[in-house]
Amino acid sequence: DVKVTQSSRYLVKRTGEKVFLECVQDMDHENMFWYRQDPGLGLRLIYFSYDVKMKEKGDIPEGYSVSREKKERFSLILESTSTNQTSMYLCASTSRLQGAYEQYFGPGTRLTVT
Amino acid sequence: QKEVEQDPGPLSVPEGAIVSLNCTYSNSAFQYFMWYRQYSRKGPELLMYTYSSGNKEDGRFTAQVDKSSKYISLFIRDSQPSDSATYLCAILSGYALNFGKGTSLLVTP
């Protein structure tokens, strides 16, 4: 079974703090993704990576950066958090060979910025 | 205009009902159409996918794509309380998926 794990289920941070969200997958997938999910807005893509050290901006990259130093690990960095970054953050991965349509998601990190 | 539009609901049906969930999309070039299911406090998981047009059936679930009208549907027969979840349609665009906003479904015993 594919497993995608995220470093925290719940986080509470103050405005201006730096946050690292880590995602690890155990299936040797090439592609990894970071989304945020908000009521009424659905899932929106922040960044994705199709290989180590490669990254592409998604629909809403402003205020975020990412790092992919190893194939199994994809980190989302919030340099200086703001209250509008309160959200559920979901990581996903997929194999280029199997079909990019099947993304495997982690359980999510609910981030609250006060 | 968002590439995929989905009515967020919520939708409440009695157990045993037939459920119809729908999305529309904007780009006729899309070929892969997916339905993901998300239970509360979990990440989404792939339920079904369809390539190009037509129907695909898996047990009580049927996915349908009408490319002429750019319409995606998911039908659930004999709905069960365990089907209560948020259902998200998605289309594949390059490497990434574009998701609809999700429809929240509640099946009451």
Side-chain angles (χ1 to χ4, degrees):
Chain A
D1 262 3
V2 177
K3 198 159 184 190
V4 180
T5 56
Q6 295 184 228
S7 48
S8 306
R9 291 301 306 269
Y10 300 94
L11 273 179
V12 179
K13 295 291 179 181
R14 293 189 186 276
T15 302
E17 286 187 308
K18 188 170 185 174
V19 174
F20 286 90
L21 301 181
E22 271 216 319
C23 175
V24 179
Q25 49 92 5
D26 66 357
M27 281 301 292
D28 204 35
H29 283 171
E30 295 84 6
N31 304 330
M32 296 187 74
F33 307 82
W34 274 106
Y35 296 88
R36 62 177 284 178
Q37 187 173 29
D38 301 287
L41 296 175
L43 271 163
R44 293 179 292 166
L45 182 64
I46 304 172
Y47 267 98
F48 68 97
S49 168
Y50 52 88
D51 206 344
V52 175
K53 296 193 186 294
M54 306 304 288
K55 60 185 179 185
E56 292 282 344
K57 292 180 181 178
D59 298 321
I60 49 162
E62 297 79 18
Y64 304 95
S65 61
V66 290
S67 171
R68 190 153 181 217
E69 296 297 318
K70 293 186 178 181
K71 192 175 185 180
E72 67 272 18
R73 196 177 296 265
F74 191 34
S75 300
L76 180 69
I77 303 149
L78 291 73
E79 289 286 344
S80 177
T81 50
S82 61
T83 53
N84 63 12
Q85 292 179 311
T86 291
S87 186
M88 171 69 85
Y89 289 88
L90 288 156
C91 173
S93 73
T94 189
S95 163
R96 207 176 294 155
L97 286 176
Q98 270 181 307
Y101 55 84
E102 183 163 19
Q103 292 192 5
Y104 295 87
F105 283 84
T109 296
R110 182 163 296 282
L111 172 67
T112 303
V113 182
T114 60
Chain B
Q1 182 195 3
K2 208 166 158 21
E3 288 188 308
V4 186
E5 298 284 354
Q6 182 176 11
D7 185 343
L11 190 59
S12 181
V13 301
E15 183 175 354
I18 296 174
V19 177
S20 172
L21 303 168
N22 307 292
C23 292
T24 57
Y25 63 95
S26 58
N27 189 334
S28 57
F30 294 137
Q31 295 278 37
Y32 280 92
F33 307 92
M34 282 68 66
W35 285 95
Y36 278 74
R37 178 174 61 193
Q38 185 176 21
Y39 289 114
S40 183
R41 298 190 194 89
K42 296 277 179 82
E45 56 181 356
L46 180 67
L47 185 61
M48 296 182 72
Y49 80 94
T50 313
Y51 176 72
S52 195
S53 264
N55 290 4
K56 189 171 185 178
E57 195 171 312
D58 184 1
R60 296 184 294 108
F61 298 87
T62 300
Q64 194 174 74
V65 177
D66 181 346
K67 293 198 83 177
S68 62
S69 55
K70 296 184 196 148
Y71 208 74
I72 314 165
S73 301
L74 178 71
F75 299 97
I76 307 174
R77 290 184 299 282
D78 187 25
S79 55
Q80 302 294 309
S82 58
D83 296 329
S84 298
T86 297
Y87 291 80
L88 302 110
C89 61
I91 48 112
L92 182 63
S93 177
Y95 284 109
L97 295 180
N98 278 312
F99 285 91
K101 292 179 183 178
T103 300
S104 175
L105 172 67
L106 178 65
V107 182
T108 55

